[in-house]
Amino acid sequence: MAAEIELLLDLVRRQSVTPDDAGCQDVLAARLQNIGFSCESMQFGEVSNLWARRGSSGPVLCFAGHTDVVPPGDNEEWDSDPFEPQDRDGMLYGRGTADMKSGLAAMVVAVERFTRNNPTFDGSIAFLITSDEEGRARDGTLKVIETLQARGEKIDWCVLGEPSSQDKLGDIVRVGRRGSLTGMLTVNGVQGHVAYPHLADNPIARFAPVLAELLSTEWDNGNEYFPPTSFQFVEIQSGIGAPNVTPATLTARFNFRYSTVWEHVELQKKTESMLDAHGLNYDLKWHLSGKPFLTEPGALIDATVAAVKDVTDIEPELSTGGGTSDGRFISPAGTDVVEVGPVNASIHKVNECVKLADVTALTEIYEQILKRLLLTK
Ligand SMILES: [Zn+2]
């Protein structure tokens, strides 16, 4: 059995539901230590993180990812045990097979092969692995980056093994992500008898025209790298449960997925000015879970695209779509970040799976990236 598949099976068997690493990082660290990496475990709260590095000079090429997985949900819904990987017709089923233990197995085996064949190379290779990507993500990659920055350790290039592909391995390489901004709104009114509306102030009626305006607003047209900003309501609640009472408050929660066209404060201002223009009495709290980031064309993107083409014969689309990822914490330190990993169709679902041949091809892609960036002489 190929080394990357063997490692993948070992990782999937470990029930590393966020933030529990379940020993995955020990397995990875032991293998990296074997090939000359110095490994540092960084524990923050209940989150385990691993920083490993081989070499002391720059440039630093870092592979990054997470060992944690989302809960399997109802085991009965799965066709096989989510933590006992099963190969059915060349597809490996199990929680974390696609998101993102294949990426981890492929990057470790690629580096093993690369360092065996090329004991000397330019710069350094590093690994940044966390067990809190799927959760609150406060004690994971963010804290490791802060620690590295405090001691002046810089990552030049980062390859994230998140499942970026859509239909076929390598069809999409992510070169950035949109920002995510959530608003939590309370519209205040005055409760009253449904038959005497003039004695009350119904927040539902107050909010309706604002809701329509928010939903029909075209925030921007995107730019060369980003799709248009999307605005979605995720929750609206009001009413006290009685048929003859109009409520005192309405609460709503909405989310922007926005591009580098905007600074988040400008989006906040525009939203607030719309609420003000309708004369609403409201409280609004904001939560910024990630700013948008973009990796400009350069050596990392060139190496990644060439590697994907070489291995898969596919010209990857460079995309900034999808949800947020830990790239949002790595990029602001001045690091170029790309995400290239397996097909994401089954992630977070029951019967999550990965094509076994893709894990082997992904290992080759990572090895090619290493060669293209670190063997320049
Ligand atoms: Zn993931």
Side-chain angles (χ1 to χ4, degrees), residues 189-194 196-203 206 245-248:
V190 176
Q191 185 177 316
H193 193 299
V194 71
Y196 302 91
H198 55 288
L199 298 178
D201 182 4
N202 189 337
R206 290 260 181 208
V245 180
T246 59

Side-chain angles (χ1 to χ4, degrees), residues 65-66 68-70 98-101 133-134 160-163 177 324-326 339 347-348:
H66 60 90
D68 59 319
V69 298
V70 295
D99 187 8
M100 59 156 276
K101 289 176 170 174
E133 195 274 343
E134 303 287 9
L160 260 173
E162 291 282 3
R177 292 276 187 156
T324 63
S325 78
D326 273 1
E339 300 178 34
I347 62 172
H348 295 207

Side-chain angles (χ1 to χ4, degrees), residues 167-297:
D167 300 315
K168 281 184 178 164
L169 178 70
D171 60 358
I172 290 181
V173 169
R174 291 203 194 289
V175 295
R177 292 276 187 156
R178 291 181 293 177
S180 174
L181 175 68
T182 294
M184 287 149 287
L185 174 71
T186 303
V187 180
N188 302 306
V190 176
Q191 185 177 316
H193 193 299
V194 71
Y196 302 91
H198 55 288
L199 298 178
D201 182 4
N202 189 337
I204 299 174
R206 290 260 181 208
F207 188 55
V210 190
L211 177 133
E213 191 179 330
L214 284 166
L215 288 177
S216 60
T217 297
E218 252 188 55
W219 299 87
D220 58 69
N221 298 315
N223 60 20
E224 190 184 351
Y225 300 105
F226 284 91
T229 291
S230 100
F231 171 92
Q232 292 295 317
F233 278 100
V234 290
E235 194 179 292
I236 293 182
Q237 285 184 356
S238 191
I240 69 158
N244 54 357
V245 180
T246 59
T249 59
L250 174 149
T251 58
R253 184 183 287 246
F254 52 83
N255 179 266
F256 287 100
R257 290 298 157 112
Y258 70 102
S259 70
T260 47
V261 172
W262 292 91
E263 287 287 340
H264 68 278
V265 286
E266 297 301 320
L267 274 178
Q268 293 175 354
K269 272 191 213 155
K270 179 161 175 174
T271 308
E272 283 159 10
S273 71
M274 285 163 72
L275 299 173
D276 293 338
H278 285 270
L280 289 194
N281 175 351
Y282 67 92
D283 300 301
L284 178 55
K285 291 194 181 75
W286 293 99
H287 176 68
L288 177 68
S289 46
K291 291 183 182 177
F293 69 89
L294 177 70
T295 295
E296 301 278 356

Side-chain angles (χ1 to χ4, degrees), residues 16-29 40-51 65-69 104 127-134 137-144 326:
S16 54
V17 174
T18 314
D20 189 1
D21 168 68
C24 293
Q25 289 174 22
D26 289 341
V27 171
L28 303 178
E40 202 179 325
S41 135
M42 295 187 190
Q43 186 78 28
F44 299 109
E46 48 186 5
V47 177
S48 314
N49 303 283
L50 171 66
W51 171 247
H66 60 90
T67 51
D68 59 319
V69 298
L104 296 175
F127 281 81
L128 195 175
I129 311 293
T130 183
S131 69
D132 180 27
E133 195 274 343
E134 303 287 9
R138 283 183 202 157
D139 290 323
T141 302
L142 175 64
K143 288 268 171 68
V144 178
D326 273 1

